[in-house]
């Protein structure tokens, strides 16, 4: 009897194991993502094995409608563009709630070939897809932009297996939530035609910057049609190529007159993987459009006011051959037989397309016609004129520190809003010191694309109209929403400015420009004045508040 029970127990155990194994074979185990990126309420997940049954290497977009606590799959119009080094190419225009775009898509292959033309190792490029999702409900529409980063090597490995040793194509799953309860809808406009706003007359070279049409003439996908109406996506792309500043110091005439002999040293240390984030009107940061390795380190620029410099101006470091784009996307719904047309809205995206890996950098002086003047004299006035927003205001300029000569005959160092390092008569302000005082990380210190574009608008002959430059008609974008925060390595905090030959009688007020609140990109600046901080504030608050007598 005992032997019989033992045999039954063994058979039962084998049966249970067999059932478990059968269940495991029948149910596909969901793999864990290699990386997950969160953009707003949406997520982008990267897998080394298929997260969905029958998924091939490439991109799948799943679209959901979020309305309060309710989340449901929803159909929407989707347009996907791929960034190339010099422009954008449409990959697909479609409709649905699950969009599948394999790496071997012929339009995607065209873009990969454009990247191969740069000559760099293909796996070294992290570029992106620019996605626009348009959802309609009654008389309202929502056009939601987002950027999906990917490595060019993944696409090439799928398109040409074995060509890129050691690189395997990835599986990208983007889960997008259109939050209609928190995003203001666009009221659909009835019209009788589609407006074409492209103005090629603006293209040319201005102050060293080349402005061109960056809608590349690659293969064009068909627009999605749902009879009797046709979905009609339209995009324009203004490309801009030129140098961008890393760090700068600007001094006024007052400093030249009052502080002759003052020495200024500017040093930079930007190294590691640098990401440039795209921004969209109404949405802000929509993801990293481009990233690569840079090594902008080891250089210092040293000048003495009065002997080496006799004009007001700036010292600045810059990197060369940066290419960025302002992409305007519009959506229309057209009856091709009657011309009945619904305008579904427009959104504008600013994104970096390409900066060469280990790009060249240099230092220069700007006495009124360089990159920094472009920001001050072009971007600042135009941002106020067109948007009523001051690019350099209390939120973007920190009243950092001052050297003051008092009527008692003593010289003092006032560390108003951050520490100053003192080393044998040299006084140094590091980016890490600004971070210590304000909790500002590297992504919060910058300047960049929107400001450069505004400056270019002022330089183009016979047109002060910003809407002509950007081809955005009456739908002017807000500078305040075009923030482009940078993610980079911590070595950026070793960038510093240093002053020497400071003595009794020196009057110098140093303001740190936290320009990321308006622009973006990896850069920051210092403004030097002799009588007060930048903007001549009647009062200011010193959070750090240390005072030292130095002479």
């Amino acid at each position: 009897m005992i032997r019989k029970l033992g045999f039954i127990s063994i058979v039962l155990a084998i049966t249970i194991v067999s059932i478990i194994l059968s269940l495991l074979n029948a149910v596909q185990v969901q793999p864990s993502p290699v990386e997950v990126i969160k953009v707003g309420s949406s997520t982008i997940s990267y897998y080394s094995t298929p997260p969905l049954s029958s998924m091939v290497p490439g991109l799948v977009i799943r679209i959901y409608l979020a309305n309060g606590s309710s989340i449901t799959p929803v159909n929407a119009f989707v347009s996907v563009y791929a960034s190339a080094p010099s422009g954008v190419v449409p990959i697909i225009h479609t409709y649905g709630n699950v969009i599948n775009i394999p790496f071997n898509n012929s339009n995607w292959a065209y873009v990969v070939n454009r990247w191969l033309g740069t000559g760099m190792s293909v796996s070294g490029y992290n570029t992106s897809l620019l996605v626009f999702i348009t959802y309609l409900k009654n008389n309202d529409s929502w056009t939601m932009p987002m950027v999906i980063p990917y490595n060019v090597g993944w696409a090439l490995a799928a398109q040409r297996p074995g060509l890129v040793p050691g690189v395997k194509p990835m599986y990208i799953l983007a889960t997008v939530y259109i939050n209609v309860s928190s995003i203001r809808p666009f009221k659909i406009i009835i019209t009788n035609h589609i407006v074409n706003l492209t103005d090629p007359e603006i293209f040319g070279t201005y102050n060293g910057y080349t402005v061109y049409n960056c809608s590349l003439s690659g293969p064009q996908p068909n627009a999605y049609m749902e009879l009797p109406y046709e979905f009609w996506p339209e995009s324009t792309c203004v490309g801009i190529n030129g140098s961008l500043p890393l760090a700068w110091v600007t001094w006024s005439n007052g400093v030249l007159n009052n502080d002759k002999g003052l020495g200024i040293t500017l040093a930079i240390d930007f190294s590691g993987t640098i990401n440039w984030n795209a921004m969209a009107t109404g949405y802000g940061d929509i993801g990293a459009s481009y990233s690569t390795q840079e090594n902008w380190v080891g250089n210092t620029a040293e000048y003495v006011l009065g002997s080496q410099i006799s004009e007001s101006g700036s010292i600045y470091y810059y990197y060369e051959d940066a290419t960025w784009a302002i992409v305007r996307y519009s959506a229309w719904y057209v009856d091709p037989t009657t011309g009945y047309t619904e305008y579904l809205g427009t959104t504008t995206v600013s994104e970096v397309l390409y900066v060469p890996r280990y790009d060249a950098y240099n230092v220069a002086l700007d006495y009124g016609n360089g990159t920094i003047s472009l920001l001050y004299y072009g971007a600042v006035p135009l941002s106020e004129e067109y948007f009523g927003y001051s690019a350099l205001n209390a939120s973007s300029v920190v009243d950092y520190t001052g050297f003051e000569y008092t009527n008692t005959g003593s010289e003092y160092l006032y560390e108003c809003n951050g520490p100053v390092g003192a080393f044998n008569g040299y006084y140094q302000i590091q980016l890490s010191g600004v971070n210590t005082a304000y909790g500002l990380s590297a992504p919060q210190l910058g300047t960049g694309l929107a400001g450069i574009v505004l400056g270019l608008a002022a330089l183009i002959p016979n047109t002060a109209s910003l809407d002509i430059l950007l081809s955005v008609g009456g739908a002017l974008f807000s500078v305040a929403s075009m923030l482009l925060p940078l993610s980079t390595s911590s070595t950026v905090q070793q960038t510093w400015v240093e002053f020497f030959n400071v003595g009794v009688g020196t009057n110098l007020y140093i303001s740190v420009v936290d320009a990321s609140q308006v622009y973006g990109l990896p850069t920051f600046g210092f403004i030097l004045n002799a009588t007060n901080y930048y903007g001549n504030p009647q009062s200011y608050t010193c959070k750090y508040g240390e005072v030292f007598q130095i002479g």
Side-chain angles (χ1 to χ4, degrees):
M1 182 69 179
I2 294 175
R3 289 181 179 178
K4 185 175 182 180
L5 287 174
F7 176 76
I8 293 173
S9 299
I10 292 171
V11 170
L12 182 61
I14 293 173
T15 302
I16 292 172
V17 170
S18 298
I19 292 172
I20 292 173
L21 291 174
S22 297
L23 289 173
L24 288 175
N25 288 331
V27 178
Q28 181 179 0
V29 178
Q30 177 78 18
S32 298
V34 175
E35 183 180 5
V36 177
I37 298 174
K38 189 173 178 60
V39 181
S41 59
S42 302
T43 58
I44 306 169
S45 302
Y46 298 83
Y47 297 85
S48 57
T49 57
L52 304 173
S53 61
S54 73
M55 181 179 177
V56 299
L59 169 66
V60 169
I61 302 173
R62 298 187 298 187
I63 304 168
Y64 295 88
L65 180 68
N67 191 356
S69 59
S70 174
I71 298 177
T72 55
V74 67
N75 290 328
F77 295 104
V78 178
S79 293
V80 179
Y81 295 78
S83 296
S86 60
V88 298
V89 177
I91 298 296
I92 191 173
H93 303 297
T94 189
Y95 180 79
N97 72 296
V98 178
I99 311 301
N100 186 7
I101 312 171
F103 280 131
N104 60 12
N105 174 286
S106 59
N107 293 32
W108 209 338
Y110 171 84
V111 172
V112 169
N113 285 334
R114 297 295 292 255
W115 283 106
L116 292 177
T118 63
M120 193 179 86
S121 171
V122 69
S123 60
Y125 292 110
N126 288 300
T127 180
S128 61
L129 300 175
L130 178 57
V131 180
F132 297 95
I133 300 170
T134 302
Y135 170 69
L136 308 181
K137 183 179 181 181
N138 300 325
N139 293 323
D140 294 330
S141 67
W142 292 260
T143 297
M144 179 178 173
M146 72 182 301
V147 163
I148 299 179
Y150 75 97
N151 186 279
V152 174
W154 302 342
L156 187 62
Q159 295 164 8
R160 307 179 197 178
L163 187 62
V164 189
V167 177
K168 294 182 178 180
M170 298 288 283
Y171 302 80
I172 308 171
L173 180 61
T175 304
V176 180
Y177 298 96
I178 304 173
N179 195 335
V180 296
S181 58
S182 64
I183 302 172
R184 179 180 296 179
F186 177 83
K187 293 297 180 182
I188 295 173
I189 298 173
I190 307 301
T191 181
N192 58 5
H193 67 288
I194 294 176
V195 179
N196 187 341
L197 295 172
T198 302
D199 188 342
E201 294 179 3
I202 65 166
F203 301 141
T205 301
Y206 309 98
N207 203 45
Y209 291 89
T210 300
V211 182
Y212 64 98
N213 180 1
C214 58
S215 295
L216 301 181
S217 57
Q220 302 295 311
N222 292 326
Y224 174 82
M225 296 184 65
E226 185 182 16
L227 296 178
Y229 294 103
E230 177 181 354
F231 176 65
W232 190 275
E234 184 187 55
S235 63
T236 59
C237 183
V238 175
I240 304 165
N241 179 267
S243 62
L244 289 174
L246 282 165
W248 75 90
V249 180
T250 297
W251 55 89
S252 67
N253 277 321
V255 173
L256 282 172
N257 295 331
N258 294 309
D259 298 318
K260 282 185 172 62
L262 178 70
I264 303 171
T265 302
L266 178 64
I268 62 167
D269 195 340
F270 290 75
S271 65
T273 300
I274 296 181
N275 302 326
W276 287 265
N277 284 17
M279 302 302 295
T281 53
Y283 289 88
D285 185 348
I286 59 170
S289 65
Y290 181 75
S291 66
T292 193
Q293 291 285 318
E294 301 294 356
N295 194 37
W296 298 319
V297 300
N299 273 16
T300 58
E302 183 175 293
Y303 294 90
V304 176
L305 302 184
S307 59
Q308 294 175 292
I309 293 175
S310 57
E311 301 177 55
S312 60
S314 306
I315 309 166
Y316 68 99
Y317 278 96
Y318 64 93
Y319 54 102
E320 302 174 350
D321 202 26
T323 302
W324 68 98
I326 308 295
V327 180
R328 183 203 184 215
Y329 177 84
S330 301
W332 307 79
Y333 208 27
V334 182
D335 184 333
T337 58
T338 65
Y340 177 85
T341 303
E342 294 181 350
Y343 173 47
L344 309 182
T346 294
T347 190
T348 303
V349 173
S350 172
E351 62 170 347
V352 165
L353 299 176
Y354 173 61
V355 177
R357 196 178 195 186
Y358 299 123
D359 190 18
Y361 68 102
N362 212 331
V363 66
L365 287 166
D366 179 353
Y367 292 121
N369 59 356
T371 299
I372 304 305
S373 295
L374 191 66
L375 292 174
Y376 286 140
Y377 304 135
V380 174
L382 275 178
S383 64
E384 295 185 54
E385 175 186 350
Y386 282 96
F387 310 111
Y389 187 91
S390 175
L392 295 177
N393 58 20
S395 67
S396 60
V397 178
V398 176
D399 303 324
Y400 193 80
T401 194
F403 297 92
E404 297 182 21
Y405 177 62
T406 65
N407 55 15
T408 63
S410 299
E411 183 77 28
Y412 288 90
L413 167 61
Y414 290 85
E415 297 180 347
C416 181
N417 280 306
V420 177
F423 312 96
N424 298 321
Y426 289 77
Y427 300 90
Q428 188 179 99
I429 299 173
Q430 289 195 359
L431 180 57
S432 57
V434 181
N435 184 43
T436 299
Y438 274 85
L440 301 177
S441 60
Q444 293 174 288
L445 293 167
T447 187
L449 302 186
I452 295 289
V453 170
L454 288 168
L456 284 168
L459 296 176
I460 295 177
N462 304 320
T463 172
S465 177
L466 181 62
D467 57 330
I468 291 178
L469 175 62
L470 299 181
S471 296
V472 297
L476 294 176
F477 65 82
S478 166
V479 168
S481 71
M482 298 294 285
L483 309 182
L484 296 164
L486 168 82
S487 299
T488 186
S489 65
S490 60
T491 58
V492 67
Q493 296 196 30
Q494 300 307 311
T495 300
W496 47 264
V497 65
E498 190 173 69
F499 303 94
F500 57 95
N501 298 340
V502 175
V504 174
T506 298
N507 279 295
L508 181 66
Y509 294 83
I510 304 160
S511 304
V512 179
V513 182
D514 174 16
S516 68
Q517 301 303 313
V518 182
Y519 305 124
L521 295 188
T523 187
F524 68 101
F526 302 92
I527 302 176
L528 312 182
N529 290 286
T531 56
N532 202 343
Y533 293 108
Y534 178 82
N536 195 32
Q538 298 303 304
S539 63
Y540 45 84
T541 301
C542 291
K543 297 180 181 179
Y544 196 75
E546 298 289 341
V547 181
F548 300 94
Q549 183 174 346
I550 60 174

